């Protein structure tokens, strides 16, 4: 039996989707979406970072922790800069 989480989950879009109905979201790979409702198994309701809300196929998204490529919003990660600055400081010693 599948249990739904009470709190919203952040997911990343892995497959693009063009809406077929006015209440659906257009999705592009790398978009981050906050899943607000999973009342239906195959069709969820959520909010994109731009504020748009609507339904979308659950098959188009994955949990952020399961995705190898970072989503658009996370590409400016500080970890890459930290690694580069650390390498420079070691070379200067």
């Amino acid at each position: 039996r599948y249990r739904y989480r009470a709190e919203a989950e952040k997911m990343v879009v892995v497959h693009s989707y063009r809406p077929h109905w006015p209440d659906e979201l257009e999705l592009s790979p790398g978009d981050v979406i906050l899943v607000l409702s999973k009342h239906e198994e195959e069709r969820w309701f959520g909010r994109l970072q731009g504020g748009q809300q609507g339904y979308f196929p659950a098959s188009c998204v994955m949990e952020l922790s399961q995705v190898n490529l970072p989503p658009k919003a996370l590409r400016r990660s500080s970890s890459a800069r930290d690694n580069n600055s650390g390498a420079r400081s070691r070379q200067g010693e």
Side-chain angles (χ1 to χ4, degrees):
R1 190 165 108 177
Y2 190 84
R3 293 191 60 133
Y4 297 106
R5 295 183 185 181
E7 72 275 7
E9 301 177 70
K10 277 192 179 177
M11 301 275 196
V12 65
V13 176
V14 292
H15 302 291
S16 60
Y17 179 74
R18 291 195 56 160
H20 300 287
W21 302 99
D23 64 348
E24 292 183 322
L25 290 172
E26 182 170 352
L27 304 177
S28 300
D31 287 347
V32 175
I33 188 165
L34 191 65
V35 179
L36 303 173
S37 173
K38 291 183 177 180
H39 291 299
E40 298 177 44
E41 188 175 325
E42 296 180 9
R43 190 171 178 248
W44 294 347
F45 184 83
R47 182 173 59 235
L48 290 168
Q49 289 186 317
Q52 307 96 315
Q53 292 190 146
Y55 292 93
F56 60 95
S59 60
C60 289
V61 298
M62 290 183 74
E63 289 185 32
L64 279 172
S65 60
Q66 296 177 352
V67 178
N68 293 331
L69 296 173
K72 292 176 188 173
L74 301 178
R75 288 194 180 133
R76 290 174 281 134
S77 155
S78 62
S79 61
R81 285 194 302 268
D82 293 344
N83 290 342
N84 290 339
S85 64
R88 272 188 247 118
S89 66
R90 282 194 293 272
Q91 290 173 347
E93 289 176 359

